[in-house]
Amino acid sequence: MSTSVKEFSKVWWTEVYNRIIGAVVILDESAAECLHWDGGLYNLLNGGAVAVNRLSPFQSCKPEQKKVVFITQTTQIQLRTISDILRTCDFTHCILISTVSLDVVYLELNDGLKNANDVVASGKAGMEAVKMLEKMLVGWMKEKQPITEVVYIPIFTISPTNNVFLMPPYQYVYPKFDKKLITSAPTLDLYTLNSDERSEVRRLASALNSMMQSMNMREDIYHIGPFSSLIAGILENSPVYVSRRKMCTNPVSLIFVDRTLDLCGVTSHSTESVLDKVMAVLPRFPGHCTDVAVDMSPLCEAKVVTHPNDMQLSPGCLYHADDEASVQTYDHMINKSQKEVMFDLHNKLSKLDVQMSPGLKTLLKVTPQSVEKIITASKGNYDVISKHLGILQQSLGVVQALKSPKGVQLELLSNLEKQVLQSIAASRESTSILHQMRIIIRSRKERKLSIENLLALLIHIYSLSDSEVIFNKQHEENLEQSLIMAVLEEFKTLFDDRERNYTPKDCEMKAKEIMCYLKEISQMRKPIQRYHSVLKPCDAGTGHEYRGVLQQLVDDLVNTDRPDLVDLQHRNDGIKDLLRTGLNILTSKRKSSKHPLDNPTVLLFVVGGVTAEECKQLHRSVITSGVDTVVLIGSTKFVTPVEAMRDVFNL
């Protein structure tokens, strides 16, 4: 069995390429991002596509173009867009590739139908969805007898490294219950969520099921956190997934963890990972949630005024699937130190065939300036640029991030985090950290700190402190007043609807909402036992350090002593296990006989995003433990502190 998610993705992209010969290919943004990580636009053009466009109701095609292939998530909105396109074009052949399971599409097309779930359970939903969609396509096309095809191809994963995979189409899935971090429902099921959240969870569970099926995996399911329990419950109990599991032969332990149990890791500005630093500084590549936009003007003659909004010059990016040297460097940006990444970039750039380029030197230190000097020697030399475009884009991205004024802000925020950690560890109930934060928020402009980063720091503080720390009530009230003023002054930075004028009353309500979220964050780990605290004494014996829930969990997983994983609930521990224990359950605490390392592969999936730094540390723990188990780390996306803050506060 191949445990490579990258291979899983490649196999299914091959199925896509087999269908695009002579066709206009129209993709949604999620499919386009996944394509980028498989090789990009040229994979489609070299595979026979006559044109490639984004999914838009304003899309038009030439009269001679008769075949179209849509690659979409098949949402109701996307189907309306497809309808608009087909009604205005002269296609005679239409293929709809759904990147979401047709079972889920059937449920959404028949929302409210009483027997829809029964049709899914019977295994007929996929075929019924095909019939419905093909009928729609025929009705929208001008041709009287068009050729139509509807097929499900699971395109939803990207693989930054061999042991890490992300699912960008599900970037908005987050551990919330109708926009609340803590559910008030006494029991949890899918209907605890609102309809949009319910649909997203179904789609994510279905995607993971398809991945397991393609990789012939039979999973034992574990989870920590209420939202993860919902996803685990769908995978465990859905008749279609139960039937699939009976057919698969390769055992794997699938562990779901709620991101909200530990928000310290994703709101920390203290990172050694170069990728995290670059993502925190540079804007996102248009339409992507994982790659960044690199200003390419230092290599070109074009005069760019407002990158990335100036569209006369296309932005560069970090990942280049068809360039082995670039793939290796991207891996280094996650798993190596900044010093090692800079030496790697310098060595690769020094080999470029540029007359003005400095030769390979023995350096004690490589600075952004020394790397930039080699890059600028390539300016205007388009033969060299075209041959080494991948490494040049990566080098420019790293240089621009490390030279950015935002780097100084990140360093200041990192120092503040260290002060916060020691203050909370030392004083507990008597901590005055909120009073200090109030002063920092009021003086943020003088310190050149953004309100977004300071809100992320507040999440970091409350998640770090957990329910053991009781903040001074007066300090919290004063902090709330400072937040009201900050929101009023910077609503254009914080909110998407920037044109709206926010009143003082609106800002007061938003500040109160933020304070409610912060108090909920401090209670998130209250129900768990072993990983309740993320503040641990340093090995050196002085002070404390942050050790996240994910880190503690993985350390316990690979511990040869196999400590009792009391917080890791095993979905398969059902009534059969209770019956096996007999009357002993009345007199003894039942312990699961299963352990995740009983299987040769462990798949740890974090719902709500991870950082590159976390992936590096978790992978390092597995490697140094010496266990033979393959541990894959999966999540919905890579996140920065500001993005994590926006996920939590609904901004």
Side-chain angles (χ1 to χ4, degrees):
M1 175 193 66
S2 171
T3 55
S4 169
V5 180
K6 185 177 290 188
E7 288 303 313
F8 155 76
S9 179
K10 279 190 173 299
V11 165
W12 287 109
W13 271 113
T14 300
E15 289 294 314
V16 172
Y17 303 145
N18 289 340
R19 287 174 165 81
I20 63 171
I21 297 174
V24 174
V25 179
I26 300 178
L27 312 89
D28 64 14
E29 287 190 343
S30 296
E33 179 163 10
C34 292
L35 174 67
H36 169 69
W37 290 77
D38 188 65
L41 172 66
Y42 287 107
N43 279 16
L44 296 178
L45 296 177
N46 294 335
V50 297
V52 180
N53 298 313
R54 64 178 295 226
L55 186 68
S56 165
F58 307 107
Q59 196 61 251
S60 62
C61 298
K62 297 177 181 179
E64 64 269 21
Q65 294 172 340
K66 299 299 182 182
K67 179 181 177 182
V68 64
V69 176
F70 294 99
I71 309 174
T72 79
Q73 294 188 77
T74 326
T75 64
Q76 301 278 20
I77 294 174
Q78 288 176 342
L79 286 173
R80 285 197 292 272
T81 302
I82 290 172
S83 169
D84 292 339
I85 295 171
L86 291 179
R87 291 179 193 278
T88 58
C89 295
D90 297 317
F91 296 119
T92 60
H93 187 178
C94 175
I95 300 176
L96 172 58
I97 296 176
S98 174
T99 59
V100 171
S101 168
L102 293 171
D103 287 359
V104 175
V105 174
Y106 175 83
L107 282 175
E108 294 177 359
L109 290 174
N110 294 278
D111 188 31
L113 193 67
K114 289 184 179 179
N115 68 338
N117 286 316
D118 295 334
V119 176
V120 173
S122 70
K124 299 177 181 178
M127 287 305 300
E128 290 300 315
V130 169
K131 292 177 184 177
M132 293 176 70
L133 291 168
E134 285 186 342
K135 186 177 180 181
M136 290 178 186
L137 296 176
V138 170
W140 296 332
M141 295 175 73
K142 294 179 180 179
E143 179 75 12
K144 291 183 178 179
Q145 291 184 318
I147 301 170
T148 60
E149 180 186 0
V150 175
V151 61
Y152 167 48
I153 298 182
I155 300 295
F156 48 77
T157 58
I158 64 174
S159 300
T161 71
N162 289 331
N163 63 292
V164 176
F165 73 92
L166 305 172
M167 300 172 72
Y170 304 102
Q171 59 184 285
Y172 299 114
V173 178
Y174 200 75
K176 284 186 177 178
F177 307 88
D178 201 10
K179 297 186 177 180
K180 296 178 182 177
L181 295 178
I182 298 177
T183 176
S184 55
T187 57
L188 290 179
D189 59 34
L190 267 180
Y191 293 91
T192 310
L193 310 176
N194 64 41
S195 59
D196 289 340
E197 292 168 342
R198 190 159 57 245
S199 176
E200 287 294 327
V201 168
R202 277 194 182 122
R203 284 170 171 249
L204 175 60
S206 174
L208 289 168
N209 177 71
S210 296
M211 190 175 80
M212 297 288 171
Q213 183 172 16
S214 292
M215 298 173 73
N216 194 25
M217 289 179 168
R218 185 185 72 249
E219 70 275 14
D220 287 323
I221 305 172
Y222 302 81
H223 63 89
I224 306 179
F227 197 88
S228 288
S229 75
L230 292 178
I231 303 173
I234 297 171
L235 279 172
E236 180 64 28
N237 298 318
S238 171
V240 176
Y241 304 162
V242 171
S243 176
R244 184 268 305 163
R245 218 162 19 246
K246 290 177 182 177
M247 303 297 292
C248 294
T249 57
N250 297 302
V252 61
S253 296
L254 175 59
I255 302 173
F256 292 104
V257 181
D258 283 5
R259 177 74 266 176
T260 46
L261 292 176
D262 179 8
L263 291 166
C264 298
V266 285
T267 54
S268 175
H269 299 85
S270 302
T271 179
E272 293 182 4
S273 168
V274 173
L275 181 61
D276 283 338
K277 292 178 181 179
V278 174
M279 290 188 68
V281 172
L282 299 188
R284 287 293 166 273
F285 196 78
H288 290 227
C289 70
T290 307
D291 214 333
V292 299
V294 178
D295 180 4
M296 297 297 290
S297 59
L299 285 175
C300 307
E301 302 298 334
K303 294 181 180 179
V304 177
V305 179
T306 56
H307 173 78
N309 297 321
D310 190 335
M311 295 310 293
Q312 65 173 310
L313 180 63
S314 297
C317 58
L318 294 182
Y319 193 80
H320 303 271
D322 296 329
D323 184 344
E324 289 186 13
S326 297
V327 171
Q328 181 193 55
T329 298
Y330 192 91
D331 187 285
H332 290 347
M333 291 171 69
I334 296 174
N335 292 311
K336 302 288 186 181
S337 67
Q338 180 173 316
K339 180 180 178 180
E340 290 171 306
V341 170
M342 296 303 288
F343 269 102
D344 174 65
L345 291 173
H346 184 274
N347 288 339
K348 287 174 179 174
L349 288 172
S350 296
K351 296 173 184 176
L352 303 190
D353 184 19
V354 182
Q355 190 175 4
M356 297 297 293
S357 174
L360 186 61
K361 299 177 182 178
T362 303
L363 298 176
L364 297 176
K365 183 179 181 181
V366 177
T367 64
Q369 288 76 14
S370 60
V371 171
E372 186 177 37
K373 186 176 181 180
I374 305 178
I375 296 170
T376 53
S378 305
K379 184 179 179 75
N381 190 335
Y382 295 112
D383 287 337
V384 170
I385 292 171
S386 62
K387 290 177 184 176
H388 306 282
L389 193 54
I391 199 67
L392 285 167
Q393 289 179 69
Q394 290 177 324
S395 302
L396 273 172
V398 172
V399 167
Q400 288 165 15
L402 296 182
K403 289 184 65 180
S404 169
K406 289 184 180 179
V408 178
Q409 298 174 28
L410 297 179
E411 189 65 30
L412 176 54
L413 288 160
S414 176
N415 291 332
L416 287 173
E417 284 174 19
K418 293 171 184 175
Q419 294 175 28
V420 165
L421 188 148
Q422 296 308 327
S423 174
I424 291 175
S427 55
R428 294 288 171 169
E429 293 187 14
S430 62
T431 182
S432 61
I433 193 64
L434 294 189
H435 176 66
Q436 297 171 37
M437 281 302 300
R438 173 175 173 260
I439 296 172
I440 291 170
I441 289 173
R442 296 182 70 173
S443 61
R444 66 188 181 281
K445 292 180 180 178
E446 292 81 3
R447 298 170 185 258
K448 296 182 179 179
L449 293 172
S450 76
I451 186 62
E452 294 175 300
N453 288 113
L454 291 176
L455 287 174
L457 182 55
L458 279 174
I459 293 174
H460 187 83
I461 290 169
Y462 273 83
S463 185
L464 191 68
S465 60
D466 63 53
S467 56
E468 294 179 3
V469 177
I470 301 173
F471 289 116
N472 182 288
K473 187 177 180 181
Q474 186 62 51
H475 288 176
E476 286 193 317
E477 290 176 356
N478 292 340
L479 175 63
E480 185 176 294
Q481 292 302 312
S482 296
L483 283 175
I484 292 172
M485 292 303 299
V487 171
L488 182 60
E489 291 171 3
E490 305 202 37
F491 68 86
K492 288 188 177 181
T493 301
L494 290 174
F495 306 122
D496 289 335
D497 50 344
R498 298 177 183 181
E499 299 305 316
R500 174 187 166 190
N501 287 321
Y502 281 80
T503 66
K505 185 66 175 177
D506 294 330
C507 297
E508 181 180 356
M509 290 176 62
K510 179 54 70 173
K512 289 182 181 295
E513 185 180 294
I514 287 172
M515 287 305 301
C516 287
Y517 276 125
L518 291 172
K519 290 173 184 177
E520 285 185 3
I521 289 166
S522 70
Q523 302 297 312
M524 293 305 296
R525 289 192 299 277
K526 195 172 183 179
I528 61 179
Q529 302 172 45
R530 188 173 178 88
Y531 311 126
H532 178 75
S533 176
V534 294
L535 274 175
K536 301 294 180 183
C538 293
D539 294 335
T542 56
H544 286 69
E545 64 181 356
Y546 162 72
R547 283 188 65 243
V549 170
L550 294 175
Q551 187 65 57
Q552 293 181 59
L553 172 61
V554 169
D555 286 345
D556 283 348
L557 277 176
V558 298
N559 189 336
T560 53
D561 294 334
R562 291 205 174 188
D564 189 9
L565 305 174
V566 293
D567 297 311
L568 196 61
Q569 298 183 49
H570 186 211
R571 276 303 297 193
N572 307 69
D573 284 345
I575 187 65
K576 291 181 180 178
D577 292 315
L578 291 175
L579 291 174
R580 287 195 201 101
T581 59
L583 294 177
N584 288 338
I585 196 165
L586 300 175
T587 57
S588 63
K589 184 178 179 180
R590 183 170 61 91
K591 179 179 177 180
S592 174
S593 58
K594 289 273 190 178
H595 189 282
L597 254 63
D598 291 340
N599 295 324
T601 303
V602 173
L603 199 163
L604 176 64
F605 192 87
V606 186
V607 185
V610 292
T611 65
E613 180 72 17
E614 287 178 316
C615 292
K616 176 180 75 173
Q617 296 297 341
L618 298 178
H619 182 55
R620 187 171 294 174
S621 293
V622 175
I623 295 298
T624 55
S625 71
V627 299
D628 295 330
T629 307
V630 175
V631 178
L632 302 177
I633 302 162
S635 189
T636 44
K637 58 185 175 181
F638 277 150
V639 284
T640 65
V642 169
E643 290 166 344
M645 177 275 294
R646 289 186 171 277
D647 285 336
V648 172
F649 291 151
N650 289 320
L651 296 177

